[in-house]
Amino acid sequence: MASQQQLCVIEGAKVLMVGAGGIGCELLKTLALSGFTNIHIIDMDTIEVSNLNRQFLFRKSHVGQSKAKVARDAVLRFRPQISITPYHANVKDSDFNVDFFKQFNVVLNGLDNLDARRHVNRLCLAADVPLVESGTTGFLGQVTVHVKGKTECYECQPKPTPKTYPVCTITSTPSKFVHCIVWAKDLLFAKMFGDKNQDNDLNVRSGDASSSSEHAEDVFERRKDEDIEQYGRRIYDHVFGYNIEVALSNEETWKNRNRPKPIYYRDILPEEQSQQNGNVDKICATDDPSSVSAMISLGLKNAQDVWSLIENSRIFLEALKLFFAKREKEIGNLSFDKDDQLAVEFVTAAANIRAASFGIPLHSLFEAKGIAGNIVHAVATTNAIIAGLIVIEAIKVLQSDTKNYRMTYCLEHPSRKMLLMPVEPFEPNKSCYVCSETPLTLEVNTQRSKLRDFVDKIVKAKLGMNFPLVMHGAALLYEVGDDLEEDMVANYAANLEKVLSELPSPVTGGTMLTVEDLQQEFSCTINIKHREEFDEEKEPDGMLLSGWTQASPVVKNEKAPIGNGGSTSNALPAVQLDAEDDDELEVLPVGTDTVPAGKKRKLAGSSNATTSGTSSVADETRNHKTQEVLDDDDDDVVMLGDGNSDSSKKRKLL
C-alpha cells in the first residue's frame, strides 16, 4: 500500500509520457491505476494491425487512428475522473520545447529510436526535469533513471553504431547471406522499383550496349514492345549471369576466393517449366496491394521452407510480373517495407539466387524477412513488467528519494536466482559532451571537406542536432530556422557548398567552433585539427570525431536478436541497432571496459555487511556481457551477426 505521502505526490504530479506503443499502453494503464491524475502523451504514430497482439488498448476498429488519442479514450473508460492530454505529433516538433518540458514533474520515455531519445534527454537536461528511460525486446528489458547533476544522462555512455558493409563487398564479393540481402534490398529492389534517378551500384551495362556511348541503354529500363516475361528473363540473366561474368573477368579478385557461378534463366527454367508460373489474372481479386503474393500465385504455402533454386527463380519472376501487373502505379516510388509481402518475396528470391551463385547457404522467406526487416518478436509480459518498474522509479523521483534510485534490468535467464537486476546508477560522466560540456575534437581535411559535410555527418548524424547553428567566434557560418530572411538563407546555403578553409571566417587547424541547437538548448565546442588523409574503408566520412561517447560498431547477426535503444548504463552496456520505423527497436548488448566518473555501480538491496558480495555480482554481470535493451514496442528489433550463424548459437543474457 502506498503511504499518504506517496499518494499526495502521485495525485499532485504532472507527468509527460513519450510513446504510446508497446510499453506506452502498459505504462498509461499502470499510471492511471496507480493514482496519477494529470498525464500528457506524445506519439506521432497511428495504429497498425501488427500492434494489436500486444498493445491492448487498441482494437481492430482503431487501425489507422492516432495511438495517443485512442490510448487516452481507452483508459478514460475505466478512469474517467483523471486528465489525459494526447498529442498526435513528433516529440521533435518545435512546439515541444524547453518551456513545454518545464511544466512537468517527470518525463517517462517509451521510445523506439536513438535520435528521439537523445532529443528528449537534452530537453530534460535543459528544463531540469527528471527522465525515466525504458526499453524492451523479447524477454529483455530495462528501466534507467536520469536526474541532472545526480545521475548520468542518457548520453553519458557509448551508443554503438550498426555494422555497415563496404559497397565492394556487397556488389562484388559477398561471403554471407546478409550481404546478399543488402544487395537485393538496397540495390536491386531500389533499382527496379524505386527512384530511377538515384545513384545505384548496379549500373553495369549489358554486352549489347556501347559502353562508350553517352546514351548507352539502361538494361533496367523496360523496352518498347517487350512483354513482362521477356523483361523479367532479361533482368534475371543480367544480374545473375552477365554481372557475375563481368566480376569473374577480374582474375586478381578471385586468387584467394571461391569463384562464383553465373546463373542464366535457360539453365534453371527450361521453357516447359517457365510455363508453370502463376496466372496473374486469377489472383488478387481485392484492390488491397498487400494481398498480392507470388507465393500464393505459385501455390507455395510455408514461409519457413527453404526454396530450391528453381523455386526461387520462379518466385523472382512471378514477383516482378505482379509488381508490373498489379502495382505498376507504385513503381518508381517504392522503398522496401518488411510488411510488404510481395517486396519480401522478391528480395528473398533475389538474395537466394545470388547466394546460390556465390556458394552461400539459402534461407527461408521467414529467415530472410527477419534479416531484411530486423525483426524479433515482442513479449507483452516484458512490456508490462517494465511499465511497472517505470512507475516505481517515477514515484521515487517525485519524492526525491535519490538514494533509492535504481536502474533495473529484466533478464531472460536468472542470475543468482534473480530475473530483475537492480543496479545503483552512476554519477554524471565528467567527460560527457552533453551534460558536462567537455570540448570535442574533429580531425578533418579543412582544404577538402565542405561545411555541408560537417553539418550532415557530424552535427546532425553524430551529435543529433535538429536545428543547428554553427559559429566561429562571433561569425555565424550556418543557421536553420523558419524566421530567417531570404538573403540569410541564401548566404547559409552558399556557405554549405564552400570548403571549410574558404568560408568567410576560415576554418583551419586550431579553429574552435561552437555548435548549438536552439530547440534543445544544447551547445558544444569542437576543436578542429587538420588532417590530410583518411582511410576510406575505416573512416568513410573523411573526418574523425573524438571525445564523444560512441562505442565500437555492432557486428551483424541475422539470427541472434539483440535488444533496442541506447543505453545509459555501463554495468550493462548497450549495443543499439537502427530502427527503420516505429516497430523496429534498437538493442543493446552489454559489456564495456570504460568506467565513467563516479562511484562504482553495485547491486541494490544488500546490507553493508554484504557490499563486497554484491559488488562482485555486479562485476560478474559486467563480465558476462549482460544485454541491455531499450525499445518501445515491439514486434521488431534489430538482429545482428555474421549472417551464417547457427540458430543454436543464439546469444544468451547470462
Side-chain angles (χ1 to χ4, degrees), residues 185-226:
K185 181 179 76 164
D186 295 343
L187 296 182
L188 184 59
F189 185 88
K191 183 66 178 176
M192 296 290 300
F193 309 115
D195 185 353
K196 301 293 183 184
N197 298 319
Q198 197 167 19
D199 288 340
N200 193 297
D201 289 283
L202 286 179
N203 289 326
V204 178
R205 306 295 183 188
S206 57
D208 60 352
S210 170
S211 60
S212 61
S213 170
E214 287 185 16
H215 303 289
E217 176 189 16
D218 183 347
V219 296
F220 292 94
E221 285 292 331
R222 188 175 171 186
R223 299 166 182 166
K224 291 181 179 179
D225 303 324
E226 183 178 38

Side-chain angles (χ1 to χ4, degrees), residues 340-397:
D340 184 333
Q341 176 68 15
L342 192 59
V344 172
E345 291 169 346
F346 179 88
V347 165
T348 299
N352 272 329
I353 299 168
R354 185 166 176 82
S357 177
F358 283 85
I360 298 168
L362 309 190
H363 286 57
S364 69
L365 180 136
F366 181 82
E367 294 170 313
K369 180 178 179 179
I371 298 166
N374 299 328
I375 297 173
V376 71
H377 297 292
V379 177
T381 308
T382 310
N383 288 339
I385 292 169
I386 292 303
L389 291 169
I390 293 171
V391 175
I392 290 172
E393 293 306 320
I395 293 172
K396 295 178 190 175
V397 167

Side-chain angles (χ1 to χ4, degrees), residues 599-612:
K599 61 186 176 184
K600 181 176 182 180
R601 188 182 308 217
K602 61 184 180 182
L603 287 174
S606 303
S607 66
N608 292 337
T610 60
T611 298
S612 61

Side-chain angles (χ1 to χ4, degrees), residues 295-296 298-305 307:
M295 285 182 64
I296 294 174
L298 297 175
L300 299 175
K301 298 179 180 179
N302 191 347
Q304 298 196 36
D305 287 342
W307 301 327

Side-chain angles (χ1 to χ4, degrees), residues 223-241:
R223 299 166 182 166
K224 291 181 179 179
D225 303 324
E226 183 178 38
D227 66 38
I228 190 59
E229 280 84 4
Q230 292 172 328
Y231 175 63
R233 291 195 290 268
R234 183 166 60 81
I235 295 299
Y236 185 103
D237 285 348
H238 180 76
V239 296
F240 302 120

Side-chain angles (χ1 to χ4, degrees), residues 36-156:
F36 287 85
T37 60
N38 191 351
I39 307 166
H40 292 237
I41 319 168
I42 302 174
D43 196 302
M44 67 183 291
D45 291 323
T46 55
I47 298 162
E48 299 178 8
V49 173
S50 62
N51 302 147
L52 302 181
N53 70 334
R54 64 198 177 281
Q55 298 175 23
F56 69 96
L57 295 179
F58 309 143
R59 298 292 180 267
K60 192 171 183 179
S61 60
H62 297 139
V63 171
Q65 298 181 42
S66 162
K67 284 187 176 182
K69 293 178 180 178
V70 172
R72 169 193 179 273
D73 294 341
V75 170
L76 287 181
R77 290 194 188 97
F78 60 85
R79 277 291 183 271
Q81 72 276 19
I82 70 175
S83 170
I84 303 177
T85 306
Y87 305 88
H88 180 55
N90 190 332
V91 71
K92 292 164 66 177
D93 289 349
S94 57
D95 291 339
F96 306 118
N97 53 23
V98 173
D99 288 336
F100 175 84
F101 272 69
K102 282 181 178 178
Q103 66 182 296
F104 300 101
N105 300 106
V106 66
V107 176
L108 312 177
N109 261 0
L111 287 163
D112 61 2
N113 68 88
L114 176 62
D115 190 44
R117 283 189 170 105
R118 293 196 299 190
H119 183 77
V120 172
N121 176 62
R122 294 172 188 184
L123 287 173
C124 286
L125 286 171
D128 198 10
V129 176
L131 169 66
V132 181
E133 261 290 356
S134 67
T136 66
T137 178
F139 295 105
L140 307 179
Q142 68 198 37
V143 173
T144 55
V145 183
H146 308 282
V147 180
K148 184 176 181 180
K150 296 179 180 177
T151 71
E152 61 189 6
C153 81
Y154 175 74
E155 296 175 80
C156 275

Side-chain angles (χ1 to χ4, degrees), residues 242-485:
Y242 173 77
N243 278 1
I244 300 299
E245 292 199 17
V246 170
L248 285 170
S249 65
N250 186 351
E251 294 292 338
E252 193 68 27
T253 302
W254 310 106
K255 278 187 175 180
N256 300 309
R257 292 186 175 95
N258 292 326
R259 296 170 66 89
K261 177 185 175 182
I263 298 176
Y264 286 95
Y265 169 84
R266 63 179 178 272
D267 300 325
I268 305 301
L269 288 174
E271 194 62 29
E272 60 272 14
Q273 284 195 350
S274 69
Q275 300 303 318
Q276 296 175 15
N277 262 21
N279 186 338
V280 172
D281 297 327
K282 290 183 179 179
I283 63 173
C284 309
T286 174
D287 292 331
D288 182 7
S290 64
S291 68
V292 180
S293 168
M295 285 182 64
I296 294 174
S297 176
L298 297 175
L300 299 175
K301 298 179 180 179
N302 191 347
Q304 298 196 36
D305 287 342
V306 177
W307 301 327
S308 67
L309 181 55
I310 290 176
E311 288 172 324
N312 276 293
S313 299
R314 293 178 65 205
I315 286 285
F316 176 86
L317 295 169
E318 187 70 9
L320 189 149
K321 182 165 65 173
L322 288 171
F323 268 117
F324 279 89
K326 298 293 182 180
R327 300 173 59 178
E328 189 169 11
K329 291 181 180 179
E330 299 176 64
I331 293 176
N333 299 304
L334 281 168
S335 58
F336 179 80
D337 183 346
K338 70 185 186 311
D339 295 320
D340 184 333
Q341 176 68 15
L342 192 59
V344 172
E345 291 169 346
F346 179 88
V347 165
T348 299
N352 272 329
I353 299 168
R354 185 166 176 82
S357 177
F358 283 85
I360 298 168
L362 309 190
H363 286 57
S364 69
L365 180 136
F366 181 82
E367 294 170 313
K369 180 178 179 179
I371 298 166
N374 299 328
I375 297 173
V376 71
H377 297 292
V379 177
T381 308
T382 310
N383 288 339
I385 292 169
I386 292 303
L389 291 169
I390 293 171
V391 175
I392 290 172
E393 293 306 320
I395 293 172
K396 295 178 190 175
V397 167
L398 293 171
Q399 292 181 295
S400 299
D401 189 8
T402 310
K403 67 179 182 180
N404 285 318
Y405 291 165
R406 294 293 179 267
M407 298 191 178
T408 306
Y409 300 87
C410 182
L411 312 180
E412 182 177 1
H413 305 284
S415 174
R416 301 293 176 93
K417 299 182 180 180
M418 291 189 294
L419 281 173
L420 293 180
M421 184 80 72
V423 179
E424 288 188 9
F426 278 130
E427 295 175 358
N429 184 350
K430 293 179 181 178
S431 63
C432 176
Y433 75 96
V434 176
C435 64
S436 298
E437 300 181 3
T438 302
L440 302 171
T441 299
L442 179 67
E443 295 179 43
V444 60
N445 188 322
T446 58
Q447 297 169 358
R448 199 160 53 206
S449 294
K450 296 180 179 179
L451 181 62
R452 179 181 296 280
D453 299 324
F454 172 71
V455 170
D456 291 345
K457 297 176 181 179
I458 301 298
V459 178
K460 292 182 178 179
K462 286 187 166 58
L463 301 183
M465 295 189 180
N466 303 307
F467 298 95
L469 178 152
V470 181
M471 296 185 68
H472 177 195
L476 191 55
L477 301 177
Y478 179 72
E479 185 180 8
V480 175
D482 296 331
D483 56 346
L484 297 177
E485 296 181 2

